[in-house]
Amino acid sequence: MNSLTPFPMQPGTQEVVSFHRKELAVILSLYGRMVAAGEWRDYGISALREVAVFSVFRRTAENPLYRIEKRPKLRSRQGEYAVIGMDGQMLKRGHDLKTVLRVLERKLIRAVE
């Protein structure tokens, strides 16, 4: 009668992909510049089984403008980092996070009148 039923997910049995501190520093540096420029307002981080996602929002209650994804399984193929647009289109994929994020830095360049 007093048998214990174990939880289906034991701690430590399921590995999760996440961003490292250096990767987050690069991403948050870009995020801070875009917030200062008035382009972005909010972000969300998801750490899942096969992918880590940094989502960028213009407003809190909407779909993300961009998703910065890290998929370690694609490290030896196209590259583990990717920037995906609002419509699901792959904007840039590569092995180096800084070069992948350059596609978003072009938004900071504006003509001054």
Side-chain angles (χ1 to χ4, degrees):
M1 281 202 275
N2 290 338
S3 64
L4 297 174
T5 306
F7 285 100
M9 292 180 12
Q10 303 258 340
T13 59
Q14 185 179 18
E15 291 190 24
V16 175
V17 176
S18 61
F19 291 104
H20 297 289
R21 182 174 289 179
K22 290 180 182 180
E23 295 167 335
L24 276 177
V26 171
I27 294 170
L28 289 174
S29 172
L30 172 66
Y31 176 78
R33 287 179 287 168
M34 295 299 267
V35 167
E39 295 289 325
W40 298 348
R41 300 206 192 285
D42 199 9
Y43 71 91
I45 299 176
S46 302
L48 305 172
R49 188 182 234 168
E50 295 181 9
V51 62
V53 181
F54 187 96
S55 302
V56 177
F57 300 90
R58 182 168 291 146
R59 290 179 196 83
T60 304
E62 66 177 24
N63 293 331
L65 287 174
Y66 301 104
R67 291 189 332 258
I68 302 165
E69 293 187 354
K70 175 184 177 183
R71 294 182 183 267
K73 287 187 177 181
L74 297 178
R75 182 181 298 137
S76 61
R77 295 182 194 151
Q78 303 105 330
E80 65 181 319
Y81 302 108
V83 175
I84 301 170
M86 182 187 295
D87 55 357
Q89 180 181 7
M90 183 81 57
L91 300 177
K92 182 90 171 164
R93 178 179 289 276
H95 297 281
D96 183 42
L97 182 60
K98 288 183 181 179
T99 57
V100 171
L101 292 179
R102 282 189 198 149
V103 72
L104 298 176
E105 288 182 8
R106 283 189 261 152
K107 303 279 185 190
L108 284 173
I109 301 171
R110 292 184 183 166
V112 179
E113 296 180 19

